[in-house]
Amino acid sequence: MSRRFPLLIVLLLVLAGCASHPPDEDSTAKPNTEATFPVTVGSVTIEQQPMRIVSLSPSATETLFALGAGPQVVAVDSQSDYPPQAPHTKLSALQPDPEAIAGYHPDLVIASADTGGLSAALAKTGVKTLVMPDAKTLDDAYQEFIQLGRATGHQAEGESLAQQTRDEIGKIVADTPKPAKPLTFYYELDQTYYSATSKTFIGQALAQFGLKNIADGNDPAISGGYPQLSAERILQSDPDLIFLADTHCCGQNAGTVAARPGWNTLTAVKNGDVFPLDDDIASRWSPRIVDLARAVSTAVTKAAHAG
């Protein structure tokens, strides 16, 4: 999920900065002689295996390295902070600069959106752009693993990664104790109470555990599946669990939540069921969604045993 909330947009833009231009150097990646090209992914036909990939999507960056395509990646955007060995730059995915991107001499650019007509601008230089939009469901995420595998000459690895991730999450869900009664939860994206409904990728991931989302009931056509709740609604809903996906960006934790006016009366706060999450893992549709499933499983297990 790409965060598109006022506070977070400002934070990302400040961090993005200006892109740098590296010297023209050959990629150390070696072509996969077993890969079959050309391949068509979406509306983009890739004639030969890309050896100089620029990723402007943190989720795609993580997936590329999980697929074994890391040696083919020559640059990633400023928000792609995982894995550590990724070639980090100051390139901005929110305000992409075609000239700065072209300075890395890519043969394929991967982005989560065609921001500012990026595809057309790069096409003038002969560079193709593969847009991998935000995953709306877990199946979307698995499909993107496969598509990235095909686009980079790692089709078998993409299919294997999708199946392995699906299987691991399925096992985590199956092994998680079932509470005596359905648990309700509030999922916080930032301190202004933006949340995620069950219509979203995040909401679907949590719904597997049989949890009831207090953000449901909002028209997804209006909110995009990410409504801004009021403090009154959250207090009235009195969720059993609170998940915080604004720990690193915004310094939120169990203590700051309890200090909010009236929040110390919430069941989740009184029972110690406020769970900080890694912001990145909680907002990216990469193979690390397995880690998100584990974190949710831990929360549900604790609450189930307490009940």
Side-chain angles (χ1 to χ4, degrees):
M1 179 217 43
S2 297
R3 298 182 172 204
R4 296 189 175 94
F5 316 116
L7 171 63
L8 297 178
I9 287 284
V10 172
L11 289 173
L12 293 180
L13 290 175
V14 170
L15 290 171
C18 300
S20 59
H21 296 259
D24 185 9
E25 56 184 29
D26 293 332
S27 170
T28 58
K30 304 299 180 184
N32 180 354
T33 56
E34 297 182 357
T36 301
F37 286 84
V39 298
T40 299
V41 179
S43 61
V44 178
T45 297
I46 303 169
E47 301 296 339
Q48 58 187 8
Q49 185 177 20
M51 292 289 105
R52 294 187 63 81
I53 299 171
V54 170
S55 174
L56 301 178
S57 163
S59 295
T61 297
E62 294 190 17
T63 302
L64 288 168
F65 277 82
L67 290 170
Q72 297 159 245
V73 180
V74 296
V76 301
D77 71 289
S78 59
Q79 297 305 308
S80 289
D81 53 8
Y82 186 90
Q85 66 268 32
H88 309 294
T89 73
K90 294 182 179 180
L91 291 175
S92 172
L94 292 172
Q95 293 183 319
D97 180 345
E99 181 180 353
I101 295 167
Y104 289 90
H105 306 286
D107 48 18
L108 180 67
V109 172
I110 299 173
S112 60
D114 191 14
T115 305
L118 178 64
S119 296
L122 290 175
K124 295 178 181 178
T125 67
V127 177
K128 293 188 175 181
T129 303
L130 178 60
V131 176
M132 306 295 289
D134 297 2
K136 305 302 182 187
T137 67
L138 287 172
D139 284 341
D140 286 349
Y142 302 145
Q143 188 59 37
E144 290 197 6
F145 297 172
I146 296 171
Q147 291 174 332
L148 283 174
R150 292 185 64 237
T152 59
H154 298 271
Q155 179 169 342
E157 291 90 338
E159 293 172 352
S160 176
L161 181 63
Q163 189 61 52
Q164 178 183 343
T165 306
R166 186 192 302 271
D167 290 346
E168 287 186 20
I169 291 178
K171 186 177 188 309
I172 291 170
V173 172
D175 291 345
T176 302
K178 302 301 183 287
K181 66 178 182 68
L183 298 173
T184 60
F185 74 93
Y186 162 58
Y187 190 97
E188 180 168 291
L189 290 166
D190 71 8
Q191 302 134 289
T192 64
Y193 310 140
Y194 273 98
S195 190
T197 71
S198 296
K199 298 290 187 180
T200 65
F201 165 77
I202 294 170
Q204 187 183 87
L206 273 71
Q208 294 184 107
F209 293 90
L211 303 177
K212 183 177 180 181
N213 192 339
I214 71 166
D216 286 347
N218 290 270
D219 183 354
I222 297 175
S223 66
Y226 298 95
Q228 184 178 29
L229 307 183
S230 65
E232 291 75 17
R233 175 170 176 173
I234 298 168
L235 291 171
Q236 289 173 2
S237 299
D238 189 20
D240 297 304
L241 309 173
I242 294 177
F243 295 100
L244 301 175
D246 53 356
T247 58
H248 300 319
C249 74
C250 315
Q252 297 304 292
N253 54 49
T256 61
V257 168
R260 298 172 184 174
W263 286 54
N264 61 341
T265 65
L266 293 177
T267 297
V269 174
K270 291 189 292 185
N271 292 344
D273 288 331
V274 178
F275 300 93
L277 302 174
D278 182 303
D279 299 26
D280 293 337
I281 293 173
S283 64
R284 296 177 185 174
W285 53 97
S286 76
R288 288 200 294 166
I289 55 179
V290 172
D291 294 332
L292 174 60
R294 289 196 184 99
V296 175
S297 176
T298 296
V300 174
T301 299
K302 178 181 180 298
H305 286 164

